[in-house]
Amino acid sequence: MTAEIINGNKLAQALRAEVAERAAQLCEQGEKPGLAVILVGDSPASMVYVMNKEKASKAIGIHSVLEKYEEDLTEAALLERIRALNVDPRIHGILVQLPLPPHINTHRVIETIAPEKDMDCFHVVNAGMLMTGMPRIRPCTPYGVMKMLESIQYPVVGSHAVVVGASNIVGKPMAMMLLQAGATVTICNSKTRDLGHHTRLADILISATGQRHIIKGGMVKPGAVVIDVGVERDKDGKLWSDVEFDSVREVAGYLSPVPGGVGPMTITMLLVNTIEAAEKALQAKRVAS
Ligand code: NAP
């Protein structure tokens, strides 16, 4: 079997066209969607991520503000800036690019973002709402993966999904969204014994560890959907991912590639979240007036 490739670029393009239309409608109604992205320090990888987010936002008509600060920015100054954005009516979404320098408490920063403007869905209120089945905002990467499954019309209900990686950013919310979509979910972490035993049971296998080629063809159930979230660039600039593409392609039914898979979908869902936040802000204004 040779897996069908899930083309994240193509899917993202179609979704961005829809989002651009919604952005135009909001502008016509006087509510231009606004996104603020904050970067502290000059990590080249983070710089690339925020530039891509800014470019994508502008391309679909979002008012995008990129705030870059020196590595030695104090935590107090960052929190003050976030509080100002929280009450800025032109800004519907705030994203603080992680990781932050070690002298800044990441948890405190995330909890300072107004939950309704927390585009990453990292705030405990949003994480709790997601867990209790009432999501206000959905975390960008897992939301993008769900859209990929939807694009191939995969019957998630009753399937067995295995999520490799259990971070608050990807693995846990991913598992929660799959569970709420009706899958039976297994979550694996770095202590999991015999990872292959679990992955071979998966109808849907999602790997988000950042461990190079941790998933190989022999660990995949024939015909499974395999979504490769993990990505890293080595010192020579070569891109690596969690899934060993060539061997897995021969076993899986569907496979998302790196690049061109989850990455463009993550950025797209950030745009979707920003538009949804602006739509809610407009609705709230109407109710109040
Ligand atoms: P993270 O916070 O480092 O978490 C990694 C997770 O993988 C942890 O839960 C860890 O287990 C688990 N893990 C590590 N080694 C493992 C092993 N041998 N077997 C099973 N589980 C193992 O990373 P993250 O933020 O979730 O990101 C994961 C990867 O996804 C990274 O490569 C990141 O760059 C990528 N990513 C890509 C996108 C995109 O848009 N394409 C978006 C977000 C993240 P423990 O909990 O036991 O430590």
Side-chain angles (χ1 to χ4, degrees), residues 141 164-167 169-171 188-191 195 208-211 214 229-232 262-263 266:
T141 301
V164 185
S167 71
I169 295 176
V170 188
C188 303
N189 61 22
S190 64
K191 283 111 191 149
L195 183 63
T209 69
Q211 302 295 311
I214 190 171
V229 179
V231 58
E232 60 151 321
V262 175
T266 295

mmCIF file with all atom_site columns, all heavy atoms in Angstrom, residues 141 164-167 169-171 188-191 195 208-211 214 229-232 262-263 266, ligand 1:
data_model
loop_
_atom_site.group_PDB
_atom_site.id
_atom_site.type_symbol
_atom_site.label_atom_id
_atom_site.label_alt_id
_atom_site.label_comp_id
_atom_site.label_asym_id
_atom_site.label_entity_id
_atom_site.label_seq_id
_atom_site.pdbx_PDB_ins_code
_atom_site.Cartn_x
_atom_site.Cartn_y
_atom_site.Cartn_z
_atom_site.occupancy
_atom_site.B_iso_or_equiv
_atom_site.pdbx_formal_charge
_atom_site.auth_seq_id
_atom_site.auth_comp_id
_atom_site.auth_asym_id
_atom_site.auth_atom_id
_atom_site.pdbx_PDB_model_num
ATOM   1   N N   . THR A 1 141 ? -2.535 23.912 16.539 1.00 0.00 ? 141 THR A N   1
ATOM   2   C CA  . THR A 1 141 ? -2.015 22.699 15.888 1.00 0.00 ? 141 THR A CA  1
ATOM   3   C C   . THR A 1 141 ? -3.025 21.553 15.932 1.00 0.00 ? 141 THR A C   1
ATOM   4   O O   . THR A 1 141 ? -3.360 20.979 14.879 1.00 0.00 ? 141 THR A O   1
ATOM   5   C CB  . THR A 1 141 ? -0.652 22.304 16.504 1.00 0.00 ? 141 THR A CB  1
ATOM   6   O OG1 . THR A 1 141 ? 0.250  23.403 16.319 1.00 0.00 ? 141 THR A OG1 1
ATOM   7   C CG2 . THR A 1 141 ? -0.078 21.069 15.848 1.00 0.00 ? 141 THR A CG2 1
ATOM   8   N N   . VAL A 1 164 ? 1.237  10.339 20.225 1.00 0.00 ? 164 VAL A N   1
ATOM   9   C CA  . VAL A 1 164 ? 2.566  10.167 20.810 1.00 0.00 ? 164 VAL A CA  1
ATOM   10  C C   . VAL A 1 164 ? 3.097  11.556 21.140 1.00 0.00 ? 164 VAL A C   1
ATOM   11  O O   . VAL A 1 164 ? 3.325  12.377 20.248 1.00 0.00 ? 164 VAL A O   1
ATOM   12  C CB  . VAL A 1 164 ? 3.509  9.417  19.840 1.00 0.00 ? 164 VAL A CB  1
ATOM   13  C CG1 . VAL A 1 164 ? 4.848  9.133  20.531 1.00 0.00 ? 164 VAL A CG1 1
ATOM   14  C CG2 . VAL A 1 164 ? 2.872  8.116  19.363 1.00 0.00 ? 164 VAL A CG2 1
ATOM   15  N N   . GLY A 1 165 ? 3.261  11.827 22.430 1.00 0.00 ? 165 GLY A N   1
ATOM   16  C CA  . GLY A 1 165 ? 3.601  13.179 22.906 1.00 0.00 ? 165 GLY A CA  1
ATOM   17  C C   . GLY A 1 165 ? 2.457  13.666 23.768 1.00 0.00 ? 165 GLY A C   1
ATOM   18  O O   . GLY A 1 165 ? 1.289  13.495 23.397 1.00 0.00 ? 165 GLY A O   1
ATOM   19  N N   . ALA A 1 166 ? 2.810  14.242 24.918 1.00 0.00 ? 166 ALA A N   1
ATOM   20  C CA  . ALA A 1 166 ? 1.760  14.611 25.877 1.00 0.00 ? 166 ALA A CA  1
ATOM   21  C C   . ALA A 1 166 ? 1.953  16.028 26.411 1.00 0.00 ? 166 ALA A C   1
ATOM   22  O O   . ALA A 1 166 ? 1.683  16.307 27.567 1.00 0.00 ? 166 ALA A O   1
ATOM   23  C CB  . ALA A 1 166 ? 1.757  13.605 27.027 1.00 0.00 ? 166 ALA A CB  1
ATOM   24  N N   . SER A 1 167 ? 2.435  16.928 25.552 1.00 0.00 ? 167 SER A N   1
ATOM   25  C CA  . SER A 1 167 ? 2.646  18.305 26.028 1.00 0.00 ? 167 SER A CA  1
ATOM   26  C C   . SER A 1 167 ? 1.318  19.033 26.159 1.00 0.00 ? 167 SER A C   1
ATOM   27  O O   . SER A 1 167 ? 0.307  18.625 25.577 1.00 0.00 ? 167 SER A O   1
ATOM   28  C CB  . SER A 1 167 ? 3.545  19.064 25.041 1.00 0.00 ? 167 SER A CB  1
ATOM   29  O OG  . SER A 1 167 ? 2.833  19.328 23.859 1.00 0.00 ? 167 SER A OG  1
ATOM   30  N N   . ILE A 1 169 ? 0.805  21.820 24.915 1.00 0.00 ? 169 ILE A N   1
ATOM   31  C CA  . ILE A 1 169 ? 0.623  22.583 23.684 1.00 0.00 ? 169 ILE A CA  1
ATOM   32  C C   . ILE A 1 169 ? 0.024  21.730 22.566 1.00 0.00 ? 169 ILE A C   1
ATOM   33  O O   . ILE A 1 169 ? -0.833 22.169 21.823 1.00 0.00 ? 169 ILE A O   1
ATOM   34  C CB  . ILE A 1 169 ? 1.977  23.194 23.245 1.00 0.00 ? 169 ILE A CB  1
ATOM   35  C CG1 . ILE A 1 169 ? 2.424  24.221 24.295 1.00 0.00 ? 169 ILE A CG1 1
ATOM   36  C CG2 . ILE A 1 169 ? 1.923  23.795 21.864 1.00 0.00 ? 169 ILE A CG2 1
ATOM   37  C CD1 . ILE A 1 169 ? 3.788  24.828 24.056 1.00 0.00 ? 169 ILE A CD1 1
ATOM   38  N N   . VAL A 1 170 ? 0.508  20.509 22.437 1.00 0.00 ? 170 VAL A N   1
ATOM   39  C CA  . VAL A 1 170 ? 0.044  19.661 21.325 1.00 0.00 ? 170 VAL A CA  1
ATOM   40  C C   . VAL A 1 170 ? -0.633 18.368 21.815 1.00 0.00 ? 170 VAL A C   1
ATOM   41  O O   . VAL A 1 170 ? -1.825 18.149 21.589 1.00 0.00 ? 170 VAL A O   1
ATOM   42  C CB  . VAL A 1 170 ? 1.183  19.299 20.333 1.00 0.00 ? 170 VAL A CB  1
ATOM   43  C CG1 . VAL A 1 170 ? 0.601  18.585 19.118 1.00 0.00 ? 170 VAL A CG1 1
ATOM   44  C CG2 . VAL A 1 170 ? 1.962  20.518 19.877 1.00 0.00 ? 170 VAL A CG2 1
ATOM   45  N N   . GLY A 1 171 ? 0.140  17.511 22.473 1.00 0.00 ? 171 GLY A N   1
ATOM   46  C CA  . GLY A 1 171 ? -0.339 16.153 22.762 1.00 0.00 ? 171 GLY A CA  1
ATOM   47  C C   . GLY A 1 171 ? -1.635 16.100 23.548 1.00 0.00 ? 171 GLY A C   1
ATOM   48  O O   . GLY A 1 171 ? -2.602 15.445 23.135 1.00 0.00 ? 171 GLY A O   1
ATOM   49  N N   . CYS A 1 188 ? 0.742  8.550  24.582 1.00 0.00 ? 188 CYS A N   1
ATOM   50  C CA  . CYS A 1 188 ? 2.057  8.008  24.945 1.00 0.00 ? 188 CYS A CA  1
ATOM   51  C C   . CYS A 1 188 ? 3.006  9.145  25.305 1.00 0.00 ? 188 CYS A C   1
ATOM   52  O O   . CYS A 1 188 ? 2.885  10.251 24.760 1.00 0.00 ? 188 CYS A O   1
ATOM   53  C CB  . CYS A 1 188 ? 2.653  7.219  23.774 1.00 0.00 ? 188 CYS A CB  1
ATOM   54  S SG  . CYS A 1 188 ? 1.594  5.871  23.206 1.00 0.00 ? 188 CYS A SG  1
ATOM   55  N N   . ASN A 1 189 ? 3.950  8.850  26.192 1.00 0.00 ? 189 ASN A N   1
ATOM   56  C CA  . ASN A 1 189 ? 4.967  9.851  26.523 1.00 0.00 ? 189 ASN A CA  1
ATOM   57  C C   . ASN A 1 189 ? 6.337  9.190  26.516 1.00 0.00 ? 189 ASN A C   1
ATOM   58  O O   . ASN A 1 189 ? 6.477  8.041  26.087 1.00 0.00 ? 189 ASN A O   1
ATOM   59  C CB  . ASN A 1 189 ? 4.637  10.528 27.867 1.00 0.00 ? 189 ASN A CB  1
ATOM   60  C CG  . ASN A 1 189 ? 4.620  9.535  29.018 1.00 0.00 ? 189 ASN A CG  1
ATOM   61  O OD1 . ASN A 1 189 ? 5.216  8.462  28.939 1.00 0.00 ? 189 ASN A OD1 1
ATOM   62  N ND2 . ASN A 1 189 ? 3.935  9.888  30.082 1.00 0.00 ? 189 ASN A ND2 1
ATOM   63  N N   . SER A 1 190 ? 7.336  9.912  27.025 1.00 0.00 ? 190 SER A N   1
ATOM   64  C CA  . SER A 1 190 ? 8.711  9.400  26.919 1.00 0.00 ? 190 SER A CA  1
ATOM   65  C C   . SER A 1 190 ? 8.928  8.170  27.802 1.00 0.00 ? 190 SER A C   1
ATOM   66  O O   . SER A 1 190 ? 9.933  7.472  27.645 1.00 0.00 ? 190 SER A O   1
ATOM   67  C CB  . SER A 1 190 ? 9.706  10.502 27.298 1.00 0.00 ? 190 SER A CB  1
ATOM   68  O OG  . SER A 1 190 ? 9.534  10.870 28.647 1.00 0.00 ? 190 SER A OG  1
ATOM   69  N N   . LYS A 1 191 ? 8.010  7.928  28.726 1.00 0.00 ? 191 LYS A N   1
ATOM   70  C CA  . LYS A 1 191 ? 8.174  6.757  29.612 1.00 0.00 ? 191 LYS A CA  1
ATOM   71  C C   . LYS A 1 191 ? 7.389  5.548  29.103 1.00 0.00 ? 191 LYS A C   1
ATOM   72  O O   . LYS A 1 191 ? 7.433  4.472  29.710 1.00 0.00 ? 191 LYS A O   1
ATOM   73  C CB  . LYS A 1 191 ? 7.702  7.082  31.037 1.00 0.00 ? 191 LYS A CB  1
ATOM   74  C CG  . LYS A 1 191 ? 8.703  7.910  31.829 1.00 0.00 ? 191 LYS A CG  1
ATOM   75  C CD  . LYS A 1 191 ? 8.204  9.272  32.069 1.00 0.00 ? 191 LYS A CD  1
ATOM   76  C CE  . LYS A 1 191 ? 9.221  10.232 32.599 1.00 0.00 ? 191 LYS A CE  1
ATOM   77  N NZ  . LYS A 1 191 ? 8.896  11.594 32.119 1.00 0.00 ? 191 LYS A NZ  1
ATOM   78  N N   . LEU A 1 195 ? 6.649  1.400  22.700 1.00 0.00 ? 195 LEU A N   1
ATOM   79  C CA  . LEU A 1 195 ? 5.841  2.366  21.945 1.00 0.00 ? 195 LEU A CA  1
ATOM   80  C C   . LEU A 1 195 ? 5.165  1.720  20.735 1.00 0.00 ? 195 LEU A C   1
ATOM   81  O O   . LEU A 1 195 ? 3.992  1.961  20.449 1.00 0.00 ? 195 LEU A O   1
ATOM   82  C CB  . LEU A 1 195 ? 6.745  3.533  21.494 1.00 0.00 ? 195 LEU A CB  1
ATOM   83  C CG  . LEU A 1 195 ? 6.072  4.686  20.759 1.00 0.00 ? 195 LEU A CG  1
ATOM   84  C CD1 . LEU A 1 195 ? 5.057  5.387  21.645 1.00 0.00 ? 195 LEU A CD1 1
ATOM   85  C CD2 . LEU A 1 195 ? 7.128  5.684  20.269 1.00 0.00 ? 195 LEU A CD2 1
ATOM   86  N N   . ALA A 1 208 ? 3.873  13.770 17.973 1.00 0.00 ? 208 ALA A N   1
ATOM   87  C CA  . ALA A 1 208 ? 4.301  15.137 18.298 1.00 0.00 ? 208 ALA A CA  1
ATOM   88  C C   . ALA A 1 208 ? 5.326  15.080 19.418 1.00 0.00 ? 208 ALA A C   1
ATOM   89  O O   . ALA A 1 208 ? 5.039  15.423 20.554 1.00 0.00 ? 208 ALA A O   1
ATOM   90  C CB  . ALA A 1 208 ? 3.087  15.978 18.706 1.00 0.00 ? 208 ALA A CB  1
ATOM   91  N N   . THR A 1 209 ? 6.528  14.613 19.077 1.00 0.00 ? 209 THR A N   1
ATOM   92  C CA  . THR A 1 209 ? 7.567  14.481 20.108 1.00 0.00 ? 209 THR A CA  1
ATOM   93  C C   . THR A 1 209 ? 8.796  15.340 19.821 1.00 0.00 ? 209 THR A C   1
ATOM   94  O O   . THR A 1 209 ? 9.514  15.704 20.734 1.00 0.00 ? 209 THR A O   1
ATOM   95  C CB  . THR A 1 209 ? 8.060  13.017 20.222 1.00 0.00 ? 209 THR A CB  1
ATOM   96  O OG1 . THR A 1 209 ? 8.797  12.682 19.041 1.00 0.00 ? 209 THR A OG1 1
ATOM   97  C CG2 . THR A 1 209 ? 6.921  12.041 20.420 1.00 0.00 ? 209 THR A CG2 1
ATOM   98  N N   . GLY A 1 210 ? 9.092  15.589 18.565 1.00 0.00 ? 210 GLY A N   1
ATOM   99  C CA  . GLY A 1 210 ? 10.344 16.256 18.226 1.00 0.00 ? 210 GLY A CA  1
ATOM   100 C C   . GLY A 1 210 ? 11.516 15.275 18.215 1.00 0.00 ? 210 GLY A C   1
ATOM   101 O O   . GLY A 1 210 ? 12.665 15.680 18.133 1.00 0.00 ? 210 GLY A O   1
ATOM   102 N N   . GLN A 1 211 ? 11.204 13.968 18.277 1.00 0.00 ? 211 GLN A N   1
ATOM   103 C CA  . GLN A 1 211 ? 12.253 12.930 18.233 1.00 0.00 ? 211 GLN A CA  1
ATOM   104 C C   . GLN A 1 211 ? 12.353 12.420 16.791 1.00 0.00 ? 211 GLN A C   1
ATOM   105 O O   . GLN A 1 211 ? 11.395 11.846 16.269 1.00 0.00 ? 211 GLN A O   1
ATOM   106 C CB  . GLN A 1 211 ? 11.905 11.762 19.163 1.00 0.00 ? 211 GLN A CB  1
ATOM   107 C CG  . GLN A 1 211 ? 11.700 12.138 20.620 1.00 0.00 ? 211 GLN A CG  1
ATOM   108 C CD  . GLN A 1 211 ? 12.980 12.652 21.256 1.00 0.00 ? 211 GLN A CD  1
ATOM   109 O OE1 . GLN A 1 211 ? 14.038 12.034 21.142 1.00 0.00 ? 211 GLN A OE1 1
ATOM   110 N NE2 . GLN A 1 211 ? 12.882 13.796 21.924 1.00 0.00 ? 211 GLN A NE2 1
ATOM   111 N N   . ILE A 1 214 ? 10.996 8.826  15.062 1.00 0.00 ? 214 ILE A N   1
ATOM   112 C CA  . ILE A 1 214 ? 10.578 7.911  16.140 1.00 0.00 ? 214 ILE A CA  1
ATOM   113 C C   . ILE A 1 214 ? 9.535  6.907  15.627 1.00 0.00 ? 214 ILE A C   1
ATOM   114 O O   . ILE A 1 214 ? 9.414  5.800  16.126 1.00 0.00 ? 214 ILE A O   1
ATOM   115 C CB  . ILE A 1 214 ? 10.057 8.711  17.360 1.00 0.00 ? 214 ILE A CB  1
ATOM   116 C CG1 . ILE A 1 214 ? 9.865  7.812  18.563 1.00 0.00 ? 214 ILE A CG1 1
ATOM   117 C CG2 . ILE A 1 214 ? 8.802  9.491  17.067 1.00 0.00 ? 214 ILE A CG2 1
ATOM   118 C CD1 . ILE A 1 214 ? 9.567  8.572  19.846 1.00 0.00 ? 214 ILE A CD1 1
ATOM   119 N N   . VAL A 1 229 ? 3.475  15.614 13.328 1.00 0.00 ? 229 VAL A N   1
ATOM   120 C CA  . VAL A 1 229 ? 3.495  16.988 13.868 1.00 0.00 ? 229 VAL A CA  1
ATOM   121 C C   . VAL A 1 229 ? 4.925  17.417 14.185 1.00 0.00 ? 229 VAL A C   1
ATOM   122 O O   . VAL A 1 229 ? 5.309  18.559 13.943 1.00 0.00 ? 229 VAL A O   1
ATOM   123 C CB  . VAL A 1 229 ? 2.619  17.088 15.152 1.00 0.00 ? 229 VAL A CB  1
ATOM   124 C CG1 . VAL A 1 229 ? 2.662  18.496 15.721 1.00 0.00 ? 229 VAL A CG1 1
ATOM   125 C CG2 . VAL A 1 229 ? 1.178  16.669 14.868 1.00 0.00 ? 229 VAL A CG2 1
ATOM   126 N N   . GLY A 1 230 ? 5.704  16.503 14.706 1.00 0.00 ? 230 GLY A N   1
ATOM   127 C CA  . GLY A 1 230 ? 7.063  16.830 15.161 1.00 0.00 ? 230 GLY A CA  1
ATOM   128 C C   . GLY A 1 230 ? 7.932  17.338 14.027 1.00 0.00 ? 230 GLY A C   1
ATOM   129 O O   . GLY A 1 230 ? 7.898  16.815 12.911 1.00 0.00 ? 230 GLY A O   1
ATOM   130 N N   . VAL A 1 231 ? 8.704  18.360 14.332 1.00 0.00 ? 231 VAL A N   1
ATOM   131 C CA  . VAL A 1 231 ? 9.597  18.911 13.313 1.00 0.00 ? 231 VAL A CA  1
ATOM   132 C C   . VAL A 1 231 ? 10.795 19.559 13.995 1.00 0.00 ? 231 VAL A C   1
ATOM   133 O O   . VAL A 1 231 ? 10.664 20.168 15.055 1.00 0.00 ? 231 VAL A O   1
ATOM   134 C CB  . VAL A 1 231 ? 8.836  19.896 12.389 1.00 0.00 ? 231 VAL A CB  1
ATOM   135 C CG1 . VAL A 1 231 ? 8.214  21.032 13.168 1.00 0.00 ? 231 VAL A CG1 1
ATOM   136 C CG2 . VAL A 1 231 ? 9.713  20.438 11.288 1.00 0.00 ? 231 VAL A CG2 1
ATOM   137 N N   . GLU A 1 232 ? 11.952 19.363 13.418 1.00 0.00 ? 232 GLU A N   1
ATOM   138 C CA  . GLU A 1 232 ? 13.149 20.033 13.941 1.00 0.00 ? 232 GLU A CA  1
ATOM   139 C C   . GLU A 1 232 ? 14.105 20.290 12.780 1.00 0.00 ? 232 GLU A C   1
ATOM   140 O O   . GLU A 1 232 ? 14.059 19.606 11.758 1.00 0.00 ? 232 GLU A O   1
ATOM   141 C CB  . GLU A 1 232 ? 13.840 19.173 15.020 1.00 0.00 ? 232 GLU A CB  1
ATOM   142 C CG  . GLU A 1 232 ? 14.266 17.838 14.501 1.00 0.00 ? 232 GLU A CG  1
ATOM   143 C CD  . GLU A 1 232 ? 15.482 17.220 15.193 1.00 0.00 ? 232 GLU A CD  1
ATOM   144 O OE1 . GLU A 1 232 ? 16.449 17.919 15.542 1.00 0.00 ? 232 GLU A OE1 1
ATOM   145 O OE2 . GLU A 1 232 ? 15.469 15.992 15.346 1.00 0.00 ? 232 GLU A OE2 1
ATOM   146 N N   . VAL A 1 262 ? 1.280  19.631 8.625  1.00 0.00 ? 262 VAL A N   1
ATOM   147 C CA  . VAL A 1 262 ? 0.672  20.308 9.780  1.00 0.00 ? 262 VAL A CA  1
ATOM   148 C C   . VAL A 1 262 ? 1.100  21.787 9.883  1.00 0.00 ? 262 VAL A C   1
ATOM   149 O O   . VAL A 1 262 ? 0.312  22.634 10.313 1.00 0.00 ? 262 VAL A O   1
ATOM   150 C CB  . VAL A 1 262 ? 1.036  19.542 11.078 1.00 0.00 ? 262 VAL A CB  1
ATOM   151 C CG1 . VAL A 1 262 ? 0.541  20.270 12.310 1.00 0.00 ? 262 VAL A CG1 1
ATOM   152 C CG2 . VAL A 1 262 ? 0.455  18.129 11.033 1.00 0.00 ? 262 VAL A CG2 1
ATOM   153 N N   . GLY A 1 263 ? 2.323  22.098 9.477  1.00 0.00 ? 263 GLY A N   1
ATOM   154 C CA  . GLY A 1 263 ? 2.843  23.469 9.626  1.00 0.00 ? 263 GLY A CA  1
ATOM   155 C C   . GLY A 1 263 ? 1.918  24.540 9.050  1.00 0.00 ? 263 GLY A C   1
ATOM   156 O O   . GLY A 1 263 ? 1.473  25.435 9.780  1.00 0.00 ? 263 GLY A O   1
ATOM   157 N N   . THR A 1 266 ? -1.310 24.886 11.017 1.00 0.00 ? 266 THR A N   1
ATOM   158 C CA  . THR A 1 266 ? -1.216 25.550 12.324 1.00 0.00 ? 266 THR A CA  1
ATOM   159 C C   . THR A 1 266 ? -1.379 27.059 12.148 1.00 0.00 ? 266 THR A C   1
ATOM   160 O O   . THR A 1 266 ? -2.143 27.705 12.872 1.00 0.00 ? 266 THR A O   1
ATOM   161 C CB  . THR A 1 266 ? 0.152  25.228 12.983 1.00 0.00 ? 266 THR A CB  1
ATOM   162 O OG1 . THR A 1 266 ? 0.191  23.832 13.246 1.00 0.00 ? 266 THR A OG1 1
ATOM   163 C CG2 . THR A 1 266 ? 0.341  25.977 14.281 1.00 0.00 ? 266 THR A CG2 1
HETATM 164 P P1  . NAP B 2 .   ? 7.468  19.068 23.954 1.00 0.00 ? 1   NAP B P1  1
HETATM 165 O O1  . NAP B 2 .   ? 6.822  20.042 24.882 1.00 0.00 ? 1   NAP B O1  1
HETATM 166 O O2  . NAP B 2 .   ? 8.930  18.893 23.982 1.00 0.00 ? 1   NAP B O2  1
HETATM 167 O O3  . NAP B 2 .   ? 6.772  17.654 24.226 1.00 0.00 ? 1   NAP B O3  1
HETATM 168 C C1  . NAP B 2 .   ? 7.242  16.509 23.624 1.00 0.00 ? 1   NAP B C1  1
HETATM 169 C C2  . NAP B 2 .   ? 6.415  15.341 24.096 1.00 0.00 ? 1   NAP B C2  1
HETATM 170 O O4  . NAP B 2 .   ? 6.919  14.181 23.464 1.00 0.00 ? 1   NAP B O4  1
HETATM 171 C C3  . NAP B 2 .   ? 6.483  15.088 25.609 1.00 0.00 ? 1   NAP B C3  1
HETATM 172 O O5  . NAP B 2 .   ? 5.214  14.794 26.116 1.00 0.00 ? 1   NAP B O5  1
HETATM 173 C C4  . NAP B 2 .   ? 7.416  13.895 25.729 1.00 0.00 ? 1   NAP B C4  1
HETATM 174 O O6  . NAP B 2 .   ? 7.129  13.022 26.813 1.00 0.00 ? 1   NAP B O6  1
HETATM 175 C C5  . NAP B 2 .   ? 7.114  13.163 24.430 1.00 0.00 ? 1   NAP B C5  1
HETATM 176 N N1  . NAP B 2 .   ? 8.228  12.308 24.057 1.00 0.00 ? 1   NAP B N1  1
HETATM 177 C C6  . NAP B 2 .   ? 9.537  12.616 23.970 1.00 0.00 ? 1   NAP B C6  1
HETATM 178 N N2  . NAP B 2 .   ? 10.247 11.521 23.623 1.00 0.00 ? 1   NAP B N2  1
HETATM 179 C C7  . NAP B 2 .   ? 9.376  10.519 23.484 1.00 0.00 ? 1   NAP B C7  1
HETATM 180 C C8  . NAP B 2 .   ? 9.486  9.142  23.168 1.00 0.00 ? 1   NAP B C8  1
HETATM 181 N N3  . NAP B 2 .   ? 10.681 8.598  22.915 1.00 0.00 ? 1   NAP B N3  1
HETATM 182 N N4  . NAP B 2 .   ? 8.368  8.396  23.118 1.00 0.00 ? 1   NAP B N4  1
HETATM 183 C C9  . NAP B 2 .   ? 7.147  8.929  23.369 1.00 0.00 ? 1   NAP B C9  1
HETATM 184 N N5  . NAP B 2 .   ? 6.973  10.233 23.693 1.00 0.00 ? 1   NAP B N5  1
HETATM 185 C C10 . NAP B 2 .   ? 8.075  11.005 23.755 1.00 0.00 ? 1   NAP B C10 1
HETATM 186 O O7  . NAP B 2 .   ? 7.105  19.400 22.453 1.00 0.00 ? 1   NAP B O7  1
HETATM 187 P P2  . NAP B 2 .   ? 5.757  20.035 21.781 1.00 0.00 ? 1   NAP B P2  1
HETATM 188 O O8  . NAP B 2 .   ? 5.725  21.470 22.006 1.00 0.00 ? 1   NAP B O8  1
HETATM 189 O O9  . NAP B 2 .   ? 4.590  19.193 22.154 1.00 0.00 ? 1   NAP B O9  1
HETATM 190 O O10 . NAP B 2 .   ? 6.099  19.773 20.255 1.00 0.00 ? 1   NAP B O10 1
HETATM 191 C C11 . NAP B 2 .   ? 6.335  18.476 19.775 1.00 0.00 ? 1   NAP B C11 1
HETATM 192 C C12 . NAP B 2 .   ? 6.896  18.551 18.384 1.00 0.00 ? 1   NAP B C12 1
HETATM 193 O O11 . NAP B 2 .   ? 5.919  19.115 17.528 1.00 0.00 ? 1   NAP B O11 1
HETATM 194 C C13 . NAP B 2 .   ? 8.141  19.431 18.229 1.00 0.00 ? 1   NAP B C13 1
HETATM 195 O O12 . NAP B 2 .   ? 8.968  18.859 17.265 1.00 0.00 ? 1   NAP B O12 1
HETATM 196 C C14 . NAP B 2 .   ? 7.595  20.735 17.709 1.00 0.00 ? 1   NAP B C14 1
HETATM 197 O O13 . NAP B 2 .   ? 8.527  21.458 16.943 1.00 0.00 ? 1   NAP B O13 1
HETATM 198 C C15 . NAP B 2 .   ? 6.475  20.223 16.826 1.00 0.00 ? 1   NAP B C15 1
HETATM 199 N N6  . NAP B 2 .   ? 5.399  21.191 16.584 1.00 0.00 ? 1   NAP B N6  1
HETATM 200 C C16 . NAP B 2 .   ? 5.078  21.417 15.303 1.00 0.00 ? 1   NAP B C16 1
HETATM 201 C C17 . NAP B 2 .   ? 4.057  22.295 15.010 1.00 0.00 ? 1   NAP B C17 1
HETATM 202 C C18 . NAP B 2 .   ? 3.711  22.541 13.589 1.00 0.00 ? 1   NAP B C18 1
HETATM 203 O O14 . NAP B 2 .   ? 2.951  23.457 13.325 1.00 0.00 ? 1   NAP B O14 1
HETATM 204 N N7  . NAP B 2 .   ? 4.183  21.727 12.674 1.00 0.00 ? 1   NAP B N7  1
HETATM 205 C C19 . NAP B 2 .   ? 3.377  22.942 16.029 1.00 0.00 ? 1   NAP B C19 1
HETATM 206 C C20 . NAP B 2 .   ? 3.715  22.666 17.354 1.00 0.00 ? 1   NAP B C20 1
HETATM 207 C C21 . NAP B 2 .   ? 4.741  21.769 17.620 1.00 0.00 ? 1   NAP B C21 1
HETATM 208 P P3  . NAP B 2 .   ? 7.232  13.453 28.360 1.00 0.00 ? 1   NAP B P3  1
HETATM 209 O O15 . NAP B 2 .   ? 5.917  14.168 28.623 1.00 0.00 ? 1   NAP B O15 1
HETATM 210 O O16 . NAP B 2 .   ? 7.344  12.190 29.084 1.00 0.00 ? 1   NAP B O16 1
HETATM 211 O O17 . NAP B 2 .   ? 8.411  14.371 28.466 1.00 0.00 ? 1   NAP B O17 1
#
